[in-house]
Amino acid sequence: MRIHLVGEAAEHAADLEAHLQQPAQIAVLPAAAAHSDRHDDGIGADDVVVSLRFTRPGSTAPAFRLLHVPGAGLDGIDLAALHPGTAVANVFEHEIPIAEFVLARLLEWEIRAGAMQAAFDAESWPDAYRGRVPHGELHGRTLGIIGYGRIGQAIATRAAAFGMRVRAVDDRAVPSAAAELLPQARLDEVLATADHLVVACPLTPATSGLIDRAALRRMRPHAVLVNVSRGPVVDESALFDALRDNVIGGAVIDVWYSYPRSFEDRPAPASHPFWELPNAWCTPHSSAWTRELTHRRYRAIALNIDRLLTGQPLTNLVRAGR
Amino acid sequence: MRIHLVGEAAEHAADLEAHLQQPAQIAVLPAAAAHSDRHDDGIGADDVVVSLRFTRPGSTAPAFRLLHVPGAGLDGIDLAALHPGTAVANVFEHEIPIAEFVLARLLEWEIRAGAMQAAFDAESWPDAYRGRVPHGELHGRTLGIIGYGRIGQAIATRAAAFGMRVRAVDDRAVPSAAAELLPQARLDEVLATADHLVVACPLTPATSGLIDRAALRRMRPHAVLVNVSRGPVVDESALFDALRDNVIGGAVIDVWYSYPRSFEDRPAPASHPFWELPNAWCTPHSSAWTRELTHRRYRAIALNIDRLLTGQPLTNLVRAGR
């Protein structure tokens, strides 16, 4: 049995090897192997392929045991191109850094320690000390969370430890102690009561534009909208107008409306200049992007391959192989 | 029964009144009443005085029921000047904003979202997105806490929710689920294993200079030292050298070595220019300084006065009246 690491997955061979308990041979395939059958002869029926992308334009893949995607999203995978006997699994772990990012930004929104730090020096110290302006707290405030999946839950657990009241909107989630779980039909109530609101739902036809002009008008005037999901869940023009006109307190925007599709492609992230507004805190889709994320993901893949080799049920199965 | 608000306490009369359940008359005394007997005639035997400071140079105070200090520190109170029948109580509540500050700074140390935000614009977006540098996480790391009182515990609860391993050093504290509690004798072990270390103990002869050159050398080279207690718990020159020479990763310094004692007094906060070091994050003793702190404190005082009026035992008693 071989593990084929396709393209950038090859960079993480050491991580994978360090966590594998069962003997397995690790092989490397070029990035092109994700989209071409030219390398398929080397893939055996018992093998595992680790790749973020997998298509077979004009052909179908040979039978192999498991395609392990080293990320959560399946947008790069053409399930129909796989042999029906091939199982597919993915990995998560990004809920941890995303929750840390959300709490970091909301705490800083309240405290503004960065500005205090930037202004600190020996000369201004007596005035800075005597002239301290009281800042805000998260304690006792209400956090609304739209989408109570892994990410929403990771945010809720941490927010609850700060003494926040957490109200999550999700029609399919399982209740947990960290949040009051409400159906989508009660979204307006959450919008109207939240001091801060996090968008943590997937982008689907049902959630595209979910936070529109009317939703933003229902929010409290000091509330901060945090988007760590996908840009288009929030209506772009409506958000820009709401920030410019101080309809809401602010926004933490880590996800955008246009992404570069190639090296030459240089779109603006949005058609409105959010980054020129003082109450829009813009970052380049970085919330999940940690050193530890990749380590955890390849450890999870190693554990899953060990399960495969010892006949135990796999975790995070997207589809079982026949 | 009257409640006398002395000096700046008078600014919070509305907060107090809003929370009092029992009828009580609120009176205001000038700031000078804290240090002079000129206003003592108006203070009755059943009255309550709310004041951050209380001395009687050359005299003693008349008998009254309760001196309620609207802060935690008793450095402004001369207990010996009070009638032995006067009870003394204080308030806390600052553990909440201090814990929020500590987590805010440690999260930002790992994430550096402020720098990402400052660099964000339409032109650089494609490069910023493609060139993202992975940041750090708090999850899975070890937080050392020196001093496991109210502040240490509030920090531990929140750090534990982030998946940190928390090791607290305190000889007198009560164990709690959020942290492993170790005696002072095992401080070196905590210094050597902590990824980040928070100083949250009071300044006493035993803790002055507790974090000295040797202690800093025991710390991990990436570790960040956070001081939200009192400056002199950490040896000033040793800390400066350790930061300048990268013996430790960095420091979050909110408490200092010299404070202005009057409007004309303009000392430097320290004799070394910490604020010129990129790995020293300096703020002007602001961690506890929130709008909500004062509200919570005056609510706590109102609840305590209600207890007094209804014959229930007081909370946060510094000393019981005879």
Side-chain angles (χ1 to χ4, degrees):
Chain A
M1 189 275 240
R2 268 197 203 163
I3 304 167
H4 301 274
L5 303 180
V6 178
E8 61 213 19
E11 295 167 26
H12 307 287
D15 255 334
L16 194 66
E17 210 154 12
H19 292 290
L20 276 172
Q21 302 290 317
Q22 301 296 320
Q25 195 186 338
I26 294 179
V28 163
L29 290 175
H35 302 299
S36 146
D37 57 11
R38 279 188 48 207
H39 303 272
D40 284 352
D41 285 352
I43 303 175
D46 283 336
D47 289 359
V48 173
V49 174
V50 178
S51 181
L52 270 176
R53 282 165 283 273
F54 198 96
T55 65
R56 284 292 175 272
S59 67
T60 52
F64 56 90
R65 281 291 289 278
L66 171 67
L67 171 66
H68 214 310
V69 183
L74 299 171
D75 18 316
I77 310 296
D78 180 6
L79 291 174
L82 290 166
H83 188 278
T86 301
V88 179
N90 62 350
V91 287
F92 298 91
E93 311 291 340
H94 57 313
E95 65 273 18
I96 292 171
I98 292 176
E100 294 197 3
F101 179 90
V102 169
L103 269 298
R105 298 264 78 190
L106 288 178
L107 284 165
E108 182 60 10
W109 185 272
E110 296 292 349
I111 300 174
R112 311 287 170 129
M116 294 180 206
Q117 177 191 338
F120 192 94
D121 63 19
E123 175 56 32
S124 63
W125 154 244
D127 304 319
Y129 174 64
R130 279 191 298 255
R132 290 171 295 176
V133 177
H135 56 263
E137 292 180 0
L138 292 184
H139 178 87
R141 309 196 84 179
T142 297
L143 182 68
I145 302 180
I146 300 177
Y148 201 56
R150 289 168 195 267
I151 296 169
Q153 290 169 39
I155 294 166
T157 306
R158 288 156 180 81
F162 281 91
M164 298 190 85
R165 175 188 182 198
V166 185
R167 312 188 79 189
V169 174
D170 198 313
D171 278 342
R172 286 174 305 180
V174 179
S176 83
E180 176 193 6
L181 185 60
L182 299 164
Q184 187 78 21
R186 290 175 66 187
L187 172 62
D188 282 359
E189 187 185 327
V190 172
L191 292 172
T193 55
D195 293 297
H196 299 306
L197 182 75
V198 184
V199 177
C201 59
L203 176 63
T204 67
T207 64
S208 182
L210 176 69
I211 305 298
D212 57 9
R213 213 164 283 271
L216 290 163
R217 269 200 302 264
R218 279 191 193 95
M219 288 174 63
R220 304 187 70 176
H222 61 261
V224 172
L225 177 76
V226 181
N227 193 357
V228 287
S229 154
R230 289 290 180 265
V233 175
V234 183
D235 181 274
E236 187 186 341
S237 296
L239 178 60
F240 187 82
D241 293 349
L243 291 169
R244 185 197 54 205
D245 302 339
N246 298 304
V247 172
I248 62 173
V252 168
I253 312 173
D254 190 50
V255 291
W256 293 95
Y257 299 91
S258 294
Y259 286 77
R261 272 169 287 187
S262 67
F263 191 76
E264 293 73 30
D265 189 27
R266 299 190 64 85
S271 51
H272 299 279
F274 287 94
W275 41 93
E276 293 175 7
L277 299 173
N279 59 349
W281 287 12
C282 306
T283 47
H285 204 121
S286 297
S287 71
W289 204 252
T290 60
R291 297 181 290 273
E292 291 80 0
L293 174 66
T294 322
H295 296 312
R296 272 199 304 276
R297 285 183 160 177
Y298 278 88
R299 186 182 57 200
I301 294 172
L303 295 176
N304 234 1
I305 293 175
D306 278 338
R307 285 189 198 98
L308 186 74
L309 290 170
T310 54
Q312 298 169 68
L314 301 190
T315 60
N316 298 333
L317 264 186
V318 174
R319 77 166 204 196
R322 258 209 315 248
Chain B
M1 190 277 243
R2 266 197 203 161
I3 304 167
H4 301 274
L5 304 180
V6 178
E8 62 211 21
E11 295 167 26
H12 307 288
D15 256 333
L16 194 66
E17 210 154 12
H19 292 290
L20 276 172
Q21 302 290 316
Q22 302 297 320
Q25 195 186 338
I26 294 179
V28 163
L29 290 176
H35 303 299
S36 146
D37 56 10
R38 280 187 50 207
H39 304 272
D40 284 352
D41 286 352
I43 303 175
D46 282 338
D47 289 0
V48 172
V49 174
V50 179
S51 182
L52 270 177
R53 281 164 281 274
F54 198 95
T55 66
R56 283 292 175 274
S59 67
T60 54
F64 58 88
R65 281 291 289 278
L66 170 66
L67 172 65
H68 214 309
V69 183
L74 300 171
D75 18 315
I77 310 297
D78 180 6
L79 292 174
L82 291 166
H83 188 279
T86 301
V88 179
N90 63 349
V91 287
F92 298 91
E93 312 291 341
H94 57 314
E95 65 273 18
I96 292 170
I98 294 177
E100 294 197 2
F101 179 90
V102 169
L103 269 298
R105 299 264 75 190
L106 288 178
L107 284 164
E108 183 60 10
W109 185 271
E110 296 292 351
I111 300 173
R112 311 289 170 128
M116 294 179 204
Q117 178 190 337
F120 192 95
D121 62 19
E123 175 56 33
S124 63
W125 153 245
D127 304 319
Y129 174 64
R130 278 191 298 254
R132 289 172 295 176
V133 177
H135 57 263
E137 292 180 1
L138 291 184
H139 178 87
R141 310 196 83 180
T142 298
L143 182 68
I145 302 179
I146 300 177
Y148 200 57
R150 288 168 195 267
I151 296 170
Q153 290 168 40
I155 295 166
T157 306
R158 289 156 179 80
F162 281 91
M164 298 190 85
R165 176 188 181 198
V166 185
R167 312 187 78 190
V169 175
D170 198 312
D171 279 343
R172 288 175 305 181
V174 179
S176 83
E180 175 192 6
L181 185 60
L182 299 163
Q184 187 79 21
R186 289 176 67 186
L187 172 61
D188 283 0
E189 187 185 328
V190 172
L191 292 171
T193 54
D195 293 299
H196 299 305
L197 183 74
V198 184
V199 177
C201 59
L203 177 63
T204 67
T207 64
S208 182
L210 176 69
I211 305 300
D212 57 9
R213 214 164 283 271
L216 290 163
R217 270 200 302 263
R218 280 190 193 94
M219 287 173 64
R220 304 187 69 176
H222 60 261
V224 172
L225 176 75
V226 181
N227 193 358
V228 286
S229 155
R230 290 291 179 263
V233 175
V234 184
D235 181 274
E236 186 186 342
S237 296
L239 178 59
F240 187 83
D241 293 349
L243 291 169
R244 185 197 55 206
D245 302 339
N246 297 304
V247 171
I248 62 173
V252 169
I253 312 173
D254 190 50
V255 291
W256 293 95
Y257 299 92
S258 293
Y259 285 76
R261 273 170 286 186
S262 68
F263 191 75
E264 293 72 30
D265 189 27
R266 299 189 63 86
S271 50
H272 299 279
F274 287 95
W275 41 93
E276 294 175 4
L277 300 173
N279 58 351
W281 287 12
C282 306
T283 47
H285 203 121
S286 298
S287 70
W289 204 251
T290 60
R291 297 181 290 273
E292 291 81 359
L293 175 66
T294 321
H295 296 312
R296 271 199 306 276
R297 285 183 161 178
Y298 278 87
R299 186 181 57 199
I301 293 171
L303 295 176
N304 233 2
I305 293 175
D306 278 337
R307 286 189 197 97
L308 186 74
L309 290 169
T310 54
Q312 299 169 68
L314 301 189
T315 61
N316 298 332
L317 265 187
V318 174
R319 78 168 202 193
R322 258 211 311 250

